[in-house]
Amino acid sequence: MIKPLTLTLLLGGASMAAANGAPDGTVSTSRLQVQVPGELFKKGGYDHHEALFGSRHFGGSSMVAQNVYYTDTDLCDPTRIDKTTGYPSRSTDPKTNRQEEWPSPFILMANRGTCSFVQKARNAQHAGAAGLLIADNICLCSDLECMASLSTNDDTNCQSTEPIMADDGSGGDVTIPTFLMFKQDAETIKAEVKDRDSIVQIEMSWSIPHPDFKVQYELWTVPSDEVFRDFQKDWKDVEVKMGDKLYFTPRQYVYDGVKTRCRNDGRNMCFNLCTNEGRYCATDPDNDLEHGISGADVVKESLRRICIWNVHGESDGLGTTYWDYIAEFVTRCDSDDFFANEDCIKDAFKHAKIDKKRIDACMVDSGGLDTGVNNLLEKEIDAASRKGVVVLPTMFVNSAPLRGALTTTTVFNAVCAGFAEGSEPSICSKCYGCSDMGQCVKKGVCKSYNGQGNGGGGGNGNGGGVSKKFFGMTLLMVCCVFGAAGYWHWRKTREEMRDQVRGILAEYMPLEGGDEGGLNMGQSPMDFARKGQSASLIS
């Protein structure tokens, strides 16, 4: 099969700094605050939407706090971005007779409009920005203060909700954070840097919320996703170790055939890509409409997994049986020849100890895959729309979108960061930041850390890629080698010095009337030397 496009960002619902959270019910995970000047500081931060693209690393909190520079350009044409323009003003470069460029590091601010959010963020990143603030130019209809500032107060000049800054499919290369700032607040910042020509320092920060002792997380994917295959096979061990500290919700992404016009006049216009007369669709994973796996096969497997979870996992949020089936399916059936093979599915059910009759009944009771509406698939489409999921795979940890490569290690670290302090399971302290996550989870001991862990448990540390035990043993060995070399050098030098003294003394005759501390009367110089220089040559 042709591998799906691997994206290094994950999408989630827009997060806001408002105390009540985002409109879709997600928990606020990011914060926008003005640090300088102090009079613009707002308790609780400024309302904003966070872009659903760009890197964000969890494991505590992350922050970008820099001076803001506002540019009059829309950041849509990279050839027209001039770093010597914008506000506030800088000193003039005598060589060019123009303002100095925006001093790095900095946060760039630009107006909304003309092109996509991803394009603006990419151009800001190429210009050297550490973050991007997009100033909205349309009021919220519910924002009375903003509406009052307009010359004409009517509904045509406002929007009911702020736009979700979703990825347009090309944002995989964008790594800087991007926030959309509401119009009224954005005007305040622009006035400070442009009209008053003052420095404004803004903080963009985010972290995984940890409201209680249990972490809730959900995964959006499709059964044909090869990118996530290893994770789906390995994650069960982590689930079992954490026990009831986790509550998992698997999600299956299904395309809405009505919106994509695969269903037209009650007919399926997309043929084997859809089920239910074109209502529910999936892309063809092998890019061959005539052979192999079809989109309808993917939809059917999605519904089957939803039912397996509802029967065997929803009650406790752990779902070991569900993960058993995923592992069996990936091992036995995840190929062009067996993906939709009923005998292979039965075999996977048998080894995962699943009652096939109960799953088949669930699939039929939900509405089936022939005609009409399927209630379970409708719920998935509605949830994906509310969350703003458009790129797969997608994961949320405590409602916070997780970004970066989705591996067992990255998801493990993000989940452990979601626990309230002191409530995390012991496996987190033992394996957080471990370079070999799989072995650490199975054995409970990490042999080598990658510098992210806290070194708790197992007696291992978080050194730069090595454990404390290994580092200590190495240090001890080095000390022993140097000690042995030093002792050998001391013995060799001591013998050489004795030989030199014996040679010198051998050239002299016995002295008469020697001092008590020197050579005794009648004593040979060689006798003196053989005593190991126990007597001093000087009285």
Side-chain angles (χ1 to χ4, degrees):
M1 294 189 295
I2 296 177
K3 291 186 177 181
L5 178 64
T6 304
L7 296 179
T8 58
L9 61 100
L10 301 172
L11 304 182
S15 63
M16 301 174 64
N20 294 330
D24 63 359
T26 60
V27 180
S28 299
T29 63
S30 60
R31 181 171 177 264
L32 179 63
Q33 183 62 273
V34 175
Q35 299 292 350
V36 178
E39 54 267 23
L40 294 184
F41 182 89
K42 182 182 292 188
K43 186 177 180 180
Y46 285 78
D47 291 344
H48 67 285
H49 273 181
E50 182 185 353
L52 307 182
F53 51 83
S55 295
R56 187 163 77 159
H57 305 285
F58 289 120
S61 62
S62 299
M63 176 183 67
V64 175
Q66 301 296 339
N67 293 341
V68 175
Y69 290 92
Y70 169 67
T71 175
D72 289 321
T73 63
D74 53 19
L75 289 183
C76 292
D77 185 355
T79 62
R80 298 183 58 188
I81 298 176
D82 188 353
K83 300 181 183 179
T84 64
T85 62
Y87 308 93
S89 61
R90 283 87 64 201
S91 58
T92 302
D93 187 344
K95 296 181 180 179
T96 62
N97 202 29
R98 305 188 67 181
Q99 287 190 112
E100 293 180 349
E101 295 184 353
W102 304 317
S104 297
F106 62 90
I107 294 174
L108 199 57
M109 187 176 194
N111 293 324
R112 173 187 171 187
T114 310
C115 62
S116 70
F117 296 118
V118 172
Q119 189 171 347
K120 290 178 183 288
R122 181 183 294 109
N123 291 334
Q125 178 177 304
H126 291 168
L132 173 64
L133 287 177
I134 297 179
D136 201 354
N137 49 17
I138 303 176
C139 291
L140 282 173
C141 297
S142 58
D143 190 342
L144 301 181
E145 183 181 356
C146 185
M147 293 295 294
S149 65
L150 301 177
S151 55
T152 57
N153 192 354
D154 58 69
D155 291 343
T156 60
N157 295 326
C158 67
Q159 55 192 354
S160 58
T161 60
E162 291 288 346
I164 294 177
M165 294 195 292
D167 188 1
D168 61 5
S170 66
D173 61 331
V174 177
T175 59
I176 64 172
T178 302
F179 288 177
L180 176 70
M181 200 169 190
F182 293 5
K183 184 177 186 300
Q184 197 71 2
D185 292 332
E187 293 297 331
T188 301
I189 302 300
K190 287 192 285 186
E192 188 71 22
V193 298
K194 186 176 181 179
D195 299 340
R196 299 183 181 88
D197 200 28
S198 300
I199 290 292
V200 173
Q201 186 181 88
I202 283 185
E203 174 189 306
M204 306 166 72
S205 59
W206 52 89
S207 63
I208 287 185
H210 34 76
D212 52 33
F213 67 91
K214 179 174 286 191
V215 169
Q216 300 182 13
Y217 69 109
E218 63 181 47
L219 167 66
W220 287 87
T221 185
V222 291
S224 57
D225 187 359
E226 289 188 357
V227 177
F228 221 37
R229 179 183 293 173
D230 291 338
F231 172 87
Q232 294 182 95
K233 290 193 299 183
D234 299 338
W235 187 249
K236 178 191 171 183
D237 292 333
V238 178
E239 278 266 5
V240 173
K241 288 288 186 178
M242 292 197 177
D244 60 359
K245 295 267 187 177
L246 293 182
Y247 189 92
F248 174 57
T249 304
R251 293 290 193 178
Q252 304 297 323
Y253 189 85
V254 180
Y255 288 92
D256 188 342
V258 177
K259 288 185 178 180
T260 56
R261 299 186 180 181
C262 281
R263 176 178 170 81
N264 190 13
D265 294 331
R267 295 180 298 169
N268 183 0
M269 307 302 294
C270 296
F271 307 106
N272 65 353
L273 293 180
C274 305
T275 64
N276 300 70
E277 299 173 327
R279 293 180 186 273
Y280 313 111
C281 309
T283 58
D284 191 298
D286 51 17
N287 204 28
D288 186 348
L289 296 177
E290 302 296 330
H291 306 91
I293 306 171
S294 67
D297 293 334
V298 176
V299 174
K300 185 176 182 179
E301 179 61 24
S302 296
L303 179 59
R304 182 181 291 117
R305 295 187 180 189
I306 294 172
C307 285
I308 292 173
W309 177 258
N310 289 347
V311 173
H312 293 285
E314 189 174 26
S315 60
D316 61 1
L318 186 59
T320 53
T321 303
Y322 171 85
W323 288 110
D324 285 339
Y325 170 77
I326 297 298
E328 294 294 338
F329 182 89
V330 169
T331 302
R332 303 172 185 276
C333 309
D334 197 6
S335 64
D336 292 356
D337 296 330
F338 296 102
F339 188 93
N341 186 288
E342 287 298 325
D343 290 335
C344 187
I345 300 299
K346 290 179 182 178
D347 195 37
F349 277 164
K350 178 181 177 180
H351 285 82
K353 299 179 180 179
I354 293 176
D355 186 352
K356 185 176 184 299
K357 293 182 179 180
R358 294 183 66 187
I359 305 305
D360 289 343
C362 170
M363 295 173 68
V364 172
D365 293 343
S366 64
L369 294 170
D370 295 326
T371 60
V373 175
N374 186 290
N375 296 327
L376 293 179
L377 295 180
E378 286 290 334
K379 289 181 179 179
E380 297 300 287
I381 291 176
D382 179 65
S385 177
R386 287 186 290 104
K387 290 283 188 178
V389 179
V390 294
V391 178
L392 301 175
T394 297
M395 178 168 281
F396 296 89
V397 179
N398 285 352
S399 298
L402 175 62
R403 296 170 190 167
L406 277 188
T407 63
T408 302
T409 300
T410 56
V411 175
F412 177 88
N413 290 343
V415 167
C416 287
F419 287 102
E421 186 176 358
S423 67
E424 65 275 1
S426 60
I427 195 66
C428 284
S429 59
K430 292 178 180 178
C431 299
Y432 185 88
C434 187
S435 58
D436 191 349
M437 180 63 64
Q439 288 298 315
C440 181
V441 170
K442 291 179 181 179
K443 297 182 179 181
V445 176
C446 181
K447 294 183 178 180
S448 178
Y449 285 87
N450 58 16
Q452 299 177 16
N454 56 11
N460 295 318
N462 65 339
V466 297
S467 65
K468 284 183 178 178
K469 183 177 180 180
F470 180 78
F471 177 78
M473 292 296 295
T474 303
L475 184 60
L476 180 61
M477 290 178 61
V478 171
C479 291
C480 290
V481 170
F482 276 97
Y487 179 73
W488 173 82
H489 180 71
W490 174 76
R491 287 291 302 269
K492 185 174 182 296
T493 304
R494 185 166 174 263
E495 290 298 329
E496 290 177 351
M497 184 177 294
R498 284 183 176 180
D499 291 341
Q500 290 176 2
V501 172
R502 288 176 185 141
I504 293 172
L505 294 179
E507 296 178 0
Y508 290 88
M509 295 295 292
L511 301 177
E512 294 182 1
D515 296 332
E516 294 181 359
L519 290 174
N520 295 327
M521 185 68 67
Q523 183 181 15
S524 170
M526 291 306 297
D527 292 337
F528 177 84
R530 290 189 187 100
K531 293 180 180 180
Q533 299 170 337
S534 59
S536 175
L537 292 175
I538 304 175
S539 58

